Amino acid sequence: MNTEIELKLQSYLDGELPAREAKQVEGLTQADPAARALFGELQTTRAALRGNELERTLPESREFYWSKIERAILAAEQAGERRASSFGLGWLVRYWPQFSGAAVAVVLLIAGATQFNWFSSPGWDEIENTLDDSGSFTFRSEQNRMTLVWVSSHPQAEQDEDGELVN
Amino acid sequence: MRVPLLRLFQQRGGLLLLALLVACPSLATLAVERRLEARLVWATDDEKSPDPSHKPLDGVLAKKLKAMPLKYKNYFEVRRQAFTINDREYVKVEMSKQCYIEVKDKGENRVTVKLYGEGKLAKRVDSALPKGETITMAGDDKNGTGWLVIVYPCETAAKAK
């Protein structure tokens, strides 16, 4: 007897076979002693399970038992939503090395940009005009470590009509 | 007891990084600032200044000026201003009602000094200005007198006093 016949016997016992196959299996149980023996064993086992199954009683009513499960599911869903929408410091505690590194990089970038003018346009650099040197001369004394720039135009006074300097 | 560095960093790493975050901008700012001093000096052959508030210039600066090829016998300090420069922008220093200078740190002990008279740029000087060095801009004034604007690092100021 192969497995397929065993399964058909089980299905026949459970009343799950179509009428045509049920007739074939019924004929088999009458003609084949092995099939008949297995069928009888299955009937005995089924009867034993039905008659001796333990009955479990719930400590509370059915409605209250399922309402507890429902409340637990709702509470778990609401907790998940709160975690997803909250801005707590949990993420900061977990990822502080990454955030600290990024913050240091940003600070160094800002410091470098402000101190070394990384992002300033080259066109904004000052251009020294050679015309600045017109009307002036420079004397350098290495011994005294002094650079003297003589400016012929007066920064504090202007000449009047007679050529006199006035304050 | 030997404390592993890794454990110390794990326990106090946040504080160390926080300290670094706070210190970085401050250190970067302090690193490029320089303290300078500027004096407006009136030069004359007269023994005394008509303005009693003018003090005769003495010390190292007076010796330096007398060693320069200038025709004046005496120098009187009109105004002295201490200021701090940086490499980001010009610092304006008022020397008189008509005259002011703008100074900027160019790095590597170099500075740019712009001299303004009556609101107009009269002279621009780009020069090294390490300790002990002096930049002087000068010109004629009325009645054979002269004026000088002297800029130098503050370390020189202590010697000049």
mmCIF file of all heavy atoms in Angstrom, chain A residues 1 9 28-45:
data_model
loop_
_atom_site.group_PDB
_atom_site.id
_atom_site.type_symbol
_atom_site.label_atom_id
_atom_site.label_comp_id
_atom_site.label_asym_id
_atom_site.label_seq_id
_atom_site.Cartn_x
_atom_site.Cartn_y
_atom_site.Cartn_z
ATOM 1 N N MET A 1 0.858 -1.184 0.000
ATOM 2 C CA MET A 1 0.000 0.000 0.000
ATOM 3 C C MET A 1 0.902 1.245 0.000
ATOM 4 O O MET A 1 1.784 1.382 0.829
ATOM 5 C CB MET A 1 -0.875 -0.003 1.262
ATOM 6 C CG MET A 1 -1.866 1.131 1.278
ATOM 7 S SD MET A 1 -2.824 1.131 2.791
ATOM 8 C CE MET A 1 -3.462 -0.525 2.808
ATOM 9 N N LEU A 9 -7.526 6.929 2.152
ATOM 10 C CA LEU A 9 -8.276 6.302 3.261
ATOM 11 C C LEU A 9 -8.591 7.321 4.356
ATOM 12 O O LEU A 9 -9.695 7.347 4.906
ATOM 13 C CB LEU A 9 -7.457 5.137 3.835
ATOM 14 C CG LEU A 9 -7.437 3.839 2.997
ATOM 15 C CD1 LEU A 9 -6.425 2.849 3.582
ATOM 16 C CD2 LEU A 9 -8.824 3.206 2.974
ATOM 17 N N LEU A 28 -12.171 -0.741 -2.067
ATOM 18 C CA LEU A 28 -10.819 -1.148 -1.709
ATOM 19 C C LEU A 28 -10.767 -1.712 -0.289
ATOM 20 O O LEU A 28 -10.084 -2.723 -0.026
ATOM 21 C CB LEU A 28 -9.869 0.056 -1.834
ATOM 22 C CG LEU A 28 -8.393 -0.200 -1.577
ATOM 23 C CD1 LEU A 28 -7.827 -1.140 -2.677
ATOM 24 C CD2 LEU A 28 -7.602 1.096 -1.580
ATOM 25 N N THR A 29 -11.485 -1.075 0.632
ATOM 26 C CA THR A 29 -11.463 -1.542 2.024
ATOM 27 C C THR A 29 -12.108 -2.932 2.155
ATOM 28 O O THR A 29 -11.775 -3.706 3.056
ATOM 29 C CB THR A 29 -12.206 -0.562 2.937
ATOM 30 O OG1 THR A 29 -13.532 -0.409 2.449
ATOM 31 C CG2 THR A 29 -11.504 0.779 2.965
ATOM 32 N N GLN A 30 -12.976 -3.255 1.196
ATOM 33 C CA GLN A 30 -13.600 -4.565 1.256
ATOM 34 C C GLN A 30 -12.729 -5.624 0.575
ATOM 35 O O GLN A 30 -12.682 -6.778 0.999
ATOM 36 C CB GLN A 30 -14.971 -4.509 0.583
ATOM 37 C CG GLN A 30 -15.971 -3.664 1.384
ATOM 38 C CD GLN A 30 -17.274 -3.417 0.634
ATOM 39 O OE1 GLN A 30 -17.412 -3.868 -0.537
ATOM 40 N NE2 GLN A 30 -18.208 -2.763 1.271
ATOM 41 N N ALA A 31 -11.999 -5.202 -0.473
ATOM 42 C CA ALA A 31 -11.227 -6.186 -1.242
ATOM 43 C C ALA A 31 -9.832 -6.377 -0.667
ATOM 44 O O ALA A 31 -9.290 -7.482 -0.698
ATOM 45 C CB ALA A 31 -11.134 -5.732 -2.704
ATOM 46 N N ASP A 32 -9.214 -5.317 -0.134
ATOM 47 C CA ASP A 32 -7.816 -5.395 0.297
ATOM 48 C C ASP A 32 -7.763 -5.495 1.822
ATOM 49 O O ASP A 32 -8.188 -4.589 2.535
ATOM 50 C CB ASP A 32 -7.087 -4.122 -0.167
ATOM 51 C CG ASP A 32 -5.591 -4.197 0.100
ATOM 52 O OD1 ASP A 32 -5.153 -5.139 0.791
ATOM 53 O OD2 ASP A 32 -4.869 -3.289 -0.355
ATOM 54 N N PRO A 33 -7.217 -6.619 2.346
ATOM 55 C CA PRO A 33 -7.156 -6.775 3.819
ATOM 56 C C PRO A 33 -6.284 -5.706 4.472
ATOM 57 O O PRO A 33 -6.631 -5.206 5.554
ATOM 58 C CB PRO A 33 -6.511 -8.166 3.996
ATOM 59 C CG PRO A 33 -6.700 -8.861 2.699
ATOM 60 C CD PRO A 33 -6.740 -7.833 1.634
ATOM 61 N N ALA A 34 -5.183 -5.335 3.814
ATOM 62 C CA ALA A 34 -4.311 -4.315 4.418
ATOM 63 C C ALA A 34 -5.020 -2.977 4.504
ATOM 64 O O ALA A 34 -4.952 -2.275 5.521
ATOM 65 C CB ALA A 34 -3.022 -4.172 3.572
ATOM 66 N N ALA A 35 -5.748 -2.645 3.418
ATOM 67 C CA ALA A 35 -6.476 -1.371 3.417
ATOM 68 C C ALA A 35 -7.570 -1.417 4.469
ATOM 69 O O ALA A 35 -7.835 -0.435 5.157
ATOM 70 C CB ALA A 35 -7.052 -1.119 2.023
ATOM 71 N N ARG A 36 -8.213 -2.544 4.582
ATOM 72 C CA ARG A 36 -9.288 -2.657 5.581
ATOM 73 C C ARG A 36 -8.711 -2.515 6.996
ATOM 74 O O ARG A 36 -9.299 -1.846 7.852
ATOM 75 C CB ARG A 36 -9.977 -4.020 5.423
ATOM 76 C CG ARG A 36 -11.230 -4.146 6.310
ATOM 77 C CD ARG A 36 -12.111 -5.341 5.940
ATOM 78 N NE ARG A 36 -11.391 -6.598 5.920
ATOM 79 C CZ ARG A 36 -11.071 -7.267 4.818
ATOM 80 N NH1 ARG A 36 -11.416 -6.809 3.612
ATOM 81 N NH2 ARG A 36 -10.424 -8.428 4.883
ATOM 82 N N ALA A 37 -7.549 -3.139 7.211
ATOM 83 C CA ALA A 37 -6.938 -3.056 8.546
ATOM 84 C C ALA A 37 -6.555 -1.617 8.880
ATOM 85 O O ALA A 37 -6.790 -1.129 9.989
ATOM 86 C CB ALA A 37 -5.693 -3.952 8.593
ATOM 87 N N LEU A 38 -5.954 -0.912 7.892
ATOM 88 C CA LEU A 38 -5.560 0.487 8.142
ATOM 89 C C LEU A 38 -6.775 1.365 8.387
ATOM 90 O O LEU A 38 -6.783 2.197 9.271
ATOM 91 C CB LEU A 38 -4.758 1.004 6.946
ATOM 92 C CG LEU A 38 -4.347 2.479 7.024
ATOM 93 C CD1 LEU A 38 -3.446 2.707 8.255
ATOM 94 C CD2 LEU A 38 -3.629 2.900 5.761
ATOM 95 N N PHE A 39 -7.841 1.112 7.601
ATOM 96 C CA PHE A 39 -9.056 1.896 7.767
ATOM 97 C C PHE A 39 -9.656 1.709 9.162
ATOM 98 O O PHE A 39 -10.091 2.653 9.827
ATOM 99 C CB PHE A 39 -10.064 1.519 6.680
ATOM 100 C CG PHE A 39 -11.295 2.363 6.677
ATOM 101 C CD1 PHE A 39 -11.224 3.708 6.299
ATOM 102 C CD2 PHE A 39 -12.526 1.847 7.052
ATOM 103 C CE1 PHE A 39 -12.349 4.488 6.299
ATOM 104 C CE2 PHE A 39 -13.655 2.647 7.059
ATOM 105 C CZ PHE A 39 -13.566 3.981 6.675
ATOM 106 N N GLY A 40 -9.623 0.440 9.607
ATOM 107 C CA GLY A 40 -10.125 0.155 10.959
ATOM 108 C C GLY A 40 -9.269 0.839 12.020
ATOM 109 O O GLY A 40 -9.796 1.363 13.010
ATOM 110 N N GLU A 41 -7.944 0.823 11.807
ATOM 111 C CA GLU A 41 -7.065 1.476 12.783
ATOM 112 C C GLU A 41 -7.330 2.981 12.848
ATOM 113 O O GLU A 41 -7.369 3.587 13.918
ATOM 114 C CB GLU A 41 -5.612 1.212 12.376
ATOM 115 C CG GLU A 41 -4.615 1.703 13.407
ATOM 116 C CD GLU A 41 -3.191 1.355 12.986
ATOM 117 O OE1 GLU A 41 -2.998 0.504 12.098
ATOM 118 O OE2 GLU A 41 -2.272 1.969 13.556
ATOM 119 N N LEU A 42 -7.527 3.582 11.662
ATOM 120 C CA LEU A 42 -7.810 5.025 11.627
ATOM 121 C C LEU A 42 -9.125 5.345 12.333
ATOM 122 O O LEU A 42 -9.245 6.338 13.045
ATOM 123 C CB LEU A 42 -7.870 5.487 10.171
ATOM 124 C CG LEU A 42 -6.519 5.549 9.430
ATOM 125 C CD1 LEU A 42 -6.732 5.846 7.939
ATOM 126 C CD2 LEU A 42 -5.609 6.609 10.047
ATOM 127 N N GLN A 43 -10.126 4.468 12.131
ATOM 128 C CA GLN A 43 -11.410 4.693 12.807
ATOM 129 C C GLN A 43 -11.257 4.615 14.320
ATOM 130 O O GLN A 43 -11.821 5.420 15.069
ATOM 131 C CB GLN A 43 -12.421 3.641 12.338
ATOM 132 C CG GLN A 43 -12.994 3.930 10.960
ATOM 133 C CD GLN A 43 -13.998 2.866 10.545
ATOM 134 O OE1 GLN A 43 -13.745 1.645 10.739
ATOM 135 N NE2 GLN A 43 -15.095 3.301 9.950
ATOM 136 N N THR A 44 -10.464 3.671 14.766
ATOM 137 C CA THR A 44 -10.260 3.505 16.210
ATOM 138 C C THR A 44 -9.545 4.728 16.798
ATOM 139 O O THR A 44 -9.916 5.254 17.857
ATOM 140 C CB THR A 44 -9.406 2.241 16.475
ATOM 141 O OG1 THR A 44 -10.044 1.127 15.860
ATOM 142 C CG2 THR A 44 -9.245 2.014 17.959
ATOM 143 N N THR A 45 -8.520 5.159 16.101
ATOM 144 C CA THR A 45 -7.766 6.322 16.588
ATOM 145 C C THR A 45 -8.639 7.570 16.649
ATOM 146 O O THR A 45 -8.604 8.339 17.615
ATOM 147 C CB THR A 45 -6.565 6.595 15.645
ATOM 148 O OG1 THR A 45 -5.764 5.415 15.556
ATOM 149 C CG2 THR A 45 -5.733 7.758 16.146
#
